[in-house]
Structures are given as C-alpha cells and as structure tokens.
Amino acid sequence: MFVRVSPCVSVCPCPSCPPPPPPLLRRHRPPLLRRSPAPLYFIARLPPPRIFRCVQFFGNTYRVLRLLPFAVGAAGGLLYFAAAPGIGFSEGAWLWAVPFLLWAATKPTWKQWLFTAGVSMWLAKIATLVWLRHVYPPLGWLGLVLLTASVAAFPFAWLALARRLFPKATGAPVTSRIAIQFGLAGAWVLLEWLQSWIFTGFPWVLLAETQWRQPVVLSLCAWGGPWAPAFAIILFNTGLSRYILRYFEEREKAEEAALKARREEFAERMKDAADGGGRFGGGFENRPLRPAQFPNPFNALRRVCPEFYLGVLPVFLGILSFVRASHTHTNHAETFFTAAAIQTDFDPNAKWDPKLLRENTDTVATLINEAAKLSEEKPIFEMAQATAGETKKTAPTGKNAPALAAKRRTPPQVIFLPEAALPYHISEVGYQKFLTDLAEKNNATLLVGVVGESDGGYYNGIHSVTPGIGVDMQNYYAKRHLVPFGEYVPLADILPLRKVVPVEKDCLPGKEGSPLPLTVWKKDSPSTTAAGLNIRLRKKTSTKKTTPETAAKTTPETTPEISLSDFPATAKTFQAGSLVCYEDVFPELARDMVLHGADFLAVLTNDAWYGREAGAYQHASHSAVLAASLGVPVVRCGNNGWSGVFNALGQQMPMLNRAGSIYFRGAGYFEVRGFPVAFRTQNPTLYTTRGNWMVKLSALLVAWVVLRNIPFRRKKPIREKKTEIETVSS
C-alpha cells in the first residue's frame, strides 16, 4: 500500500519505514511556507525524522517564521553599516541587499516588510552617523535622530520597490528578469541622486564611497561618476540573489522529477506483482528501487543564470578600466609641485575664544615654519600639544643623518592651511602681513582657509598668499553650498529657530566657481626680474616675532604692483579648484571647477567637528571618488582628521604620524602629480564631459520597469455574457 502524506514527501506505511511527519506540518502549514519557493521551503521537504527533530528544536514552525524578519534585518543592516568607511568592510556593500531580496521572493506581508526595512536602515544610518552627537551638543543628538531618519528614507524606498518587483522575477521570462534587475539598479541610482539635492542635499557615504579603497571599482567612476559603482553594486546584489534562488528552483524541479519517476516505478512493480511477476520476474520486494533520476548534468545551459553573469560583468569591466588607467597615469602624469598640509588640531568650539587667540596664532606660525623644512626624507612633523611652542624633534637620526639632511632639495612649494585656520578676518591688514611674512620667510605659496567680509556679511572662503605679492584679495573662492543650521538658519524669518540654533548671523554663499591661480616656483630660482624688482623675499627691518596684533600697529610696507608675468621663467601657475568644508560630497561643484580649467582640487575642511571617530574617513572617501571621476588629483587639508592627497586614479596617500594615526597636530609632506593641461583636454573622463548621464538612463529604466510591472488601475472582473438559450431558460 502507498500513502501520500504531502506534495513532496511519499511514505510507505511498513513498520520498517520511518513514521509520517507530525500533523502540524502536514495539515497546518503556514501560508508563508505554502507559497514560498526554496530556500524557505526546505523545512517541509526534509525527511520525516528530520522534520520531527526540527520541530522539537524550534518548538514549532511559527517561531522560526517570527525570527525570520529579525534575522533578515540584522544581516542586511549590519552589512550595510560595515561597508561604510571607518569600519572598512567594503565587501559588505556587495552583499547587504541579498538577505532582503531572498526574503522578498517569499512575498512576506507588507506590514512585516516595511517595519523590518525601515528599522534596519534607520539603525544602520544611526550607527554610521553617530559622530553627529559631537556637533553643537546637545543639539547634535537631535540632529542624529532627525537627519538619520531622513537619509534612511532613501534606501527604505528602494527596499519597498524591491518587495514589489523582485518576486515577479520568479518564473518570468529571461527578458523580464533582466529588466527587473536593471530597473532596481537604476532606482537606487535615482534615489541617491535625489538625496544629493532634495532638502539642500546630504549625499553622505553613498555606495560609491564604500569602495574608496578599491581602485578597481573606483575606475568605474571615470565612466559614470559616483553613480557607476552604485549601479554595479546593486546589479551584483540582485544577480547573486537570483542565482541563489535559481539554484534552489532547479534543485526543487530535479527532486520533483526524481520523486515522480520513483512513484511510477513503484506503481509498475505493484502492477507487475499483481499480474504474477511479469518482466520483473517476481520477488520485487527484495530488490531496491533504482536511485532517483536527476536531470542530465550535460544540460548545464538549462541552469544558466544570466542575471548573475550580468552582475559580475561590471567587475571585469572595472579591471580592464583600471589596467588602462594605470598605464595612462604611469606614462603621462607629471609632478605639479611639492606640497605640505598642516593640521592645527584646534577645538572647534574653543577656537574662537579670545583667550586662546595668541596661543593659536603662535601654533600656526610654528607649524608653517616647520612644514617648510619637510621633504621626502622627513615627510612628517608632529607637534606636542602640552605647550604651543613645545615640539617633538623628528630630524633624521643615525649614521646617515648628515647625508639625509644634505639631500633636502625639494622643500614644499605650496603649504595648505585648513578651513578658517585662524579667527581673523582676511580684510585685516595685520592678518594679511602675518601671512605674507610667513610666505616670504619660507619661500612657499600659502593656500589658506579664511573668513572674509563681503556685502555687509561674511563668507567662508579660500585665499592664496604668494611671496612678493601677498594676499590675493581679487581672486578668491567663497563657499557656495552652506551647511544648514551650521552656517545659516533656514526659515529663520518665519520660525524662531535662532533661539535654539547657535547661529547669530548667516553666512553669505559664493556665486562663482572659478579656480584660483596658484603660482609656484623652485627655491633656487632667480630672485629678481628684468625690471630689477625683488619678488622673492623682502628683508625684515626687525627680528621680533610678528603676529597679527603687532602687525596691525605698524605701518604696512609699500608693495610695488607686480603681475604674474613678472615672475621668473621657472615659475608655474596652476589652477586650483577650491572646495570648502563638505562641498566635496557634491560632485557637481567639483565637476564645475574642472570644466573651468582646474588642474587639481583643494579641499580645506574642519573635520574636528566629527571627533576622533569614523567621520573623518567617511568625509575623505568622497574626495577619492571625485579624483577617480574627474581624473584630477585632490589635496585635502583638515583641522584634524584625514589630510593628504589622492592621485588622479583615486589612490590615497594620507598623512600619518609615527603611531599610524591621522589624528595629530603637525604637518605632512607630499607630491601632487596629475595630467598636463594638453593631455587632460584631449582625454577627459566621460563623467567630466557628460555629467549625470547615468542618472537620466536610470530614470528611463525605472519608468519602463514600473510601467511594465506595476498596474496602476485595478482590473475589473470580466463578466461572462449569457447566451440566448441561458436567458430563455432562466
């Protein structure tokens, strides 16, 4: 006798065979398992003894299903958080959506899905932006809750769309599955683009920034900017999820075919036994059944998953692009100039304290003087913070110390200072003379973050200080994208927000995005021009230490009018694309600078607001993406945090102290290498010329897939018309 217990398990009632499964799974299988494909269907497909043990271990099937949303949310949220810079597990970005997509294939209830997706993304964003609590405490805690909720809405919206579209790929034709895969990837790009401008924009740590230490993935930025790696990552997540589901689907088909063949053979033997033996020759009860017949292993094309191969394709394209870009950079890049960046490591809340003004001024002067002495042999200077004048001597030691000291022939030609290095207005004559004296003493051009006055207000900007010329008050950069509730208060005329937010006066945004001319020359170049003007150094009349306070009391020396054409032939002028604070998180601002002829980008910021946590690494990751997207080097200088340079491929060279930390007070030396103007003009990156073309393509993909798979009108039930015979009979 043969008894059928479930659609996929057949049991013989003989005493030697195992008992049937418990009635819980046999009669009351939950709706989620009833309509779910593998792999969640595996519990009901186990042999009866194993099912019984599973039920004993978990208590019942419903407990397992209750834990499933928490497991999916925890796995996806942890991978999403671990991929952010500062944690360093960039591979998590390639896997974070897989648990959600596998669960979406089982068609969970919308209530479970939305709750799990919303909570997991919000907690992941809180863990990523936890450094916000350091900004204007205790208001930082309020910002941590509200800002993270707003930025978590974008991945939450994508997960809601994935719940609607991804289950439709099960059993669909290959063209429909590929369309859904590309539509989900395009939806993610479109949502990240919306995050970059809606509500003034806060595109912090997008998927592209998680790959800031992966040069192969960064090479994709040259084609589509920060949107190309994001598109590739989502494409891989969806492809891998479909591959896993396809594997279990094929396994389920093979098992069903094997069970069908086994039942047919058993029926044939029963029929043969009833007929008296037949072709089996009798005695079938002592002969084992033949093993289950699985599909032919040579028919591998039946199990091909094109979605997975499409997901892997961008990785191979990234490898080819990286090899080509590395070869181009090795053969055509040249050294622009040598540079140094100083980290003042001032407390951002106490920097404006008048009592600390003199001490901070002396610290900046000491750091600039020590930075001018750096070279390849002595690339780092670290200053002890016990006293402003106390320093750690880092001169070369050992047998080769005199020889190393003699080789110092490449001092910094440009010294970068962080955002708002000192709390003076650049229009003050004393502050201008203070910076000019430092530039001439060290024979180096300074690029300084300053606070200036303009049109009855103030701006947060960058000025250059050239030896022999002084502070350039005509060509400067003013920050264009201001920080809401940090540099200005939105809706302050309507709502009384100034009583809560510590911003007394709004900062004025800049209007132009033109690069700054930055003139550098070798230290051993001639000091006079044909006109006989000494433009290299000016002799000091006094040996006393100059500060902005003492310089303001003295009459400034008359400086002759000198143009850039008066410099010696060894001088070079570069165009510096300047960005202040967090402007590097907006790729359009940097692209605008490059289109106006910037040879390199200079990001002057104050990362001390983030504390000594992951915030500085997260901020620096945006500069890596900009360098790879635009094909220009990016120099970063922060008050404390990540300072250094990214080359045109996005490869990083950070300033580290002897302990290997980016957090220290001191200075660092590096070279800035990039492509010459002629080569860069003839070979720009596709993102530089075409901009956000991937965003437009993604919008078209999303519109096509949504219109194809989501009905916006309910189909009315079709009522069958009665025939004449039915009408008469009724």
Side-chain angles (χ1 to χ4, degrees):
M1 185 177 179
F2 193 80
V3 179
R4 179 176 178 82
V5 178
S6 67
C8 48
V9 180
S10 298
V11 181
C12 179
C14 301
S16 60
C17 294
L24 176 65
L25 292 180
R26 184 171 49 181
R27 298 178 183 175
H28 306 286
R29 193 187 324 153
L32 182 60
L33 280 180
R34 193 181 305 132
R35 63 171 179 261
S36 65
L40 296 181
Y41 203 46
F42 75 99
I43 294 179
R45 301 183 60 84
L46 293 174
R50 295 186 181 179
I51 290 180
F52 187 72
R53 286 195 294 267
C54 286
V55 173
Q56 283 184 332
F57 180 77
F58 290 107
N60 55 57
T61 310
Y62 293 100
R63 291 185 182 178
V64 181
L65 296 179
R66 289 194 192 102
L67 294 176
L68 183 60
F70 297 100
V72 171
L78 284 176
L79 289 172
Y80 188 80
F81 161 69
I87 305 299
F89 186 64
S90 59
E91 293 80 5
W94 300 85
L95 301 172
W96 76 271
V98 174
F100 288 104
L101 295 176
L102 292 179
W103 188 34
T106 67
K107 297 182 179 180
T109 62
W110 277 101
K111 182 179 180 180
Q112 280 186 328
W113 179 267
L114 296 178
F115 178 79
T116 304
V119 172
S120 61
M121 290 296 99
W122 192 14
L123 293 179
K125 288 296 183 181
I126 288 177
T128 303
L129 302 177
V130 68
W131 48 263
L132 278 172
R133 70 187 191 278
H134 298 295
V135 181
Y136 293 132
L139 292 178
W141 290 99
L142 179 62
L144 177 63
V145 175
L146 299 180
L147 184 60
T148 52
S150 63
V151 296
F154 297 96
F156 170 76
W158 183 85
L159 289 174
L161 184 63
R163 165 63 182 85
R164 190 70 174 84
L165 294 179
F166 193 75
K168 294 180 177 294
T170 303
V174 62
T175 53
S176 299
R177 299 199 306 266
I178 293 176
I180 291 174
Q181 182 184 16
F182 276 83
L184 289 175
W188 183 272
V189 171
L190 189 61
L191 287 170
E192 284 194 341
W193 176 76
L194 288 175
Q195 186 180 345
S196 66
W197 66 268
I198 195 170
F199 300 127
T200 74
F202 189 68
W204 191 269
V205 189
L206 306 181
L207 277 187
E209 279 71 36
T210 63
Q211 309 300 308
W212 73 305
R213 291 182 174 176
Q214 305 296 334
V216 172
V217 184
L218 283 180
S219 61
L220 296 174
C221 296
W223 302 93
W227 323 119
F231 191 91
I233 290 172
I234 297 299
L235 208 67
F236 182 84
N237 275 273
T238 53
L240 180 60
S241 302
R242 279 300 309 158
Y243 183 82
I244 296 174
L245 291 173
R246 186 68 181 271
Y247 168 77
F248 283 100
E249 288 172 3
E250 292 296 329
R251 182 178 177 180
E252 183 178 356
K253 292 179 182 178
E255 291 179 357
E256 289 178 355
L259 290 172
K260 182 179 179 181
R262 197 178 184 90
R263 288 194 298 267
E264 291 177 354
E265 182 180 356
F266 191 89
E268 289 179 4
R269 292 193 178 191
M270 294 289 291
K271 183 179 180 181
D272 184 72
D275 295 341
R279 63 189 183 92
F280 286 98
F284 72 92
E285 65 278 357
N286 296 324
R287 298 184 182 184
L289 295 174
R290 58 189 173 88
Q293 299 295 319
F294 288 91
N296 189 346
F298 294 100
N299 295 336
L301 293 178
R302 296 180 181 177
R303 296 186 294 274
V304 167
C305 185
E307 303 97 299
F308 177 72
Y309 302 124
L310 286 175
V312 178
L313 181 61
V315 180
F316 290 98
L317 295 179
I319 295 174
L320 296 177
S321 179
F322 174 70
V323 172
R324 177 178 175 272
S326 299
H327 178 74
T328 304
H329 189 269
T330 303
N331 295 333
H332 298 282
E334 62 182 22
T335 301
F336 286 169
F337 52 84
T338 57
I342 69 170
Q343 292 189 161
T344 55
D345 194 19
F346 295 149
D347 184 353
N349 294 305
K351 183 173 67 173
W352 306 94
D353 188 355
K355 299 178 181 179
L356 300 175
L357 190 58
R358 180 60 180 270
E359 179 182 347
N360 293 341
T361 303
D362 294 341
T363 300
V364 170
T366 302
L367 290 174
I368 293 177
N369 294 332
E370 294 294 336
K373 303 175 184 178
L374 299 178
S375 64
E376 296 179 358
E377 290 76 22
K378 181 189 173 184
I380 292 294
F381 167 78
E382 185 175 3
M383 184 175 182
Q385 301 187 32
T387 308
E390 183 182 352
T391 62
K392 291 184 179 180
K393 300 300 181 180
T394 57
T397 58
K399 297 181 180 179
N400 298 327
L404 291 176
K407 291 183 179 179
R408 294 176 184 169
R409 298 179 180 177
T410 55
Q413 297 169 295
V414 180
I415 299 178
F416 295 87
L417 278 73
E419 172 191 7
L422 288 172
Y424 299 105
H425 285 280
I426 192 62
S427 57
E428 298 180 14
V429 178
Y431 189 38
Q432 294 184 23
K433 188 176 187 307
F434 170 75
L435 295 175
T436 303
D437 291 344
L438 288 173
E440 293 181 347
K441 174 184 177 182
N442 299 288
N443 194 27
T445 303
L446 306 181
L447 201 64
V448 190
V450 299
V451 177
E453 296 179 350
S454 176
D455 298 332
Y458 76 97
Y459 64 89
N460 186 5
I462 299 177
H463 281 257
S464 63
V465 185
T466 308
I469 293 181
V471 179
D472 190 351
M473 297 299 295
Q474 300 297 326
N475 301 307
Y476 65 92
Y477 173 76
K479 184 179 179 182
R480 291 177 286 171
H481 198 107
L482 304 178
V483 180
F485 302 103
E487 293 173 318
Y488 77 101
V489 181
L491 304 177
D493 299 334
I494 303 175
L495 301 176
L497 297 177
R498 294 192 187 276
K499 297 180 180 179
V500 181
V501 181
V503 178
E504 299 179 358
K505 190 176 183 181
D506 290 345
C507 181
L508 299 178
K511 300 179 181 179
E512 297 182 359
S514 302
L516 301 182
L518 196 68
T519 302
V520 299
W521 62 89
K522 294 182 179 180
K523 188 174 182 179
D524 297 331
S525 62
S527 60
T528 57
T529 62
L533 296 176
N534 189 337
I535 65 170
R536 178 182 170 191
L537 293 175
R538 254 186 297 178
K539 300 295 183 180
K540 288 188 176 182
T541 57
S542 175
T543 58
K544 295 182 179 179
K545 197 170 187 179
T546 306
T547 63
E549 292 87 347
T550 57
K553 299 178 181 180
T554 59
T555 303
E557 300 179 16
T558 57
T559 305
E561 295 292 336
I562 303 175
S563 63
L564 296 178
S565 59
D566 295 327
F567 282 90
T570 53
K572 292 184 179 180
T573 300
F574 299 94
Q575 300 297 322
S578 304
L579 300 171
V580 180
C581 191
Y582 80 138
E583 284 187 317
D584 57 332
V585 307
F586 302 96
E588 281 299 319
L589 298 179
R591 178 174 172 265
D592 185 42
M593 286 287 185
V594 174
L595 290 176
H596 282 80
D599 297 309
F600 69 98
L601 298 176
V603 181
L604 307 187
T605 181
N606 183 4
D607 288 343
W609 291 106
Y610 312 147
R612 302 196 173 193
E613 298 176 4
Y617 294 98
Q618 295 172 6
H619 192 187
S621 64
H622 291 271
S623 296
V625 174
L626 286 183
S629 302
L630 301 171
V632 296
V634 178
V635 179
R636 285 184 59 86
C637 178
N639 177 29
N640 192 15
W642 205 103
S643 298
V645 63
F646 294 92
N647 64 10
L649 304 181
Q651 297 172 340
Q652 56 181 292
M653 286 156 277
M655 286 170 38
L656 303 175
N657 62 1
R658 291 183 176 182
S661 174
I662 62 174
Y663 299 106
F664 67 98
R665 174 178 291 178
Y669 173 92
F670 48 84
E671 289 185 353
V672 179
R673 291 175 53 84
F675 296 110
V677 178
F679 180 85
R680 193 174 64 252
T681 304
Q682 297 177 0
N683 302 276
T685 64
L686 183 61
Y687 176 72
T688 303
T689 56
R690 298 299 178 183
N692 295 329
W693 67 271
M694 282 204 68
V695 177
K696 301 175 183 177
L697 177 62
S698 299
L700 294 177
L701 288 173
V702 173
W704 175 51
V705 174
V706 169
L707 292 176
R708 181 177 179 180
N709 293 276
I710 300 180
F712 292 93
R713 294 181 180 179
R714 290 187 176 182
K715 296 182 180 180
K716 297 182 179 180
I718 300 176
R719 297 181 179 179
E720 298 181 358
K721 296 182 179 179
K722 296 183 178 181
T723 61
E724 295 180 0
I725 299 175
E726 293 176 346
T727 306
V728 172
S729 61
S730 60

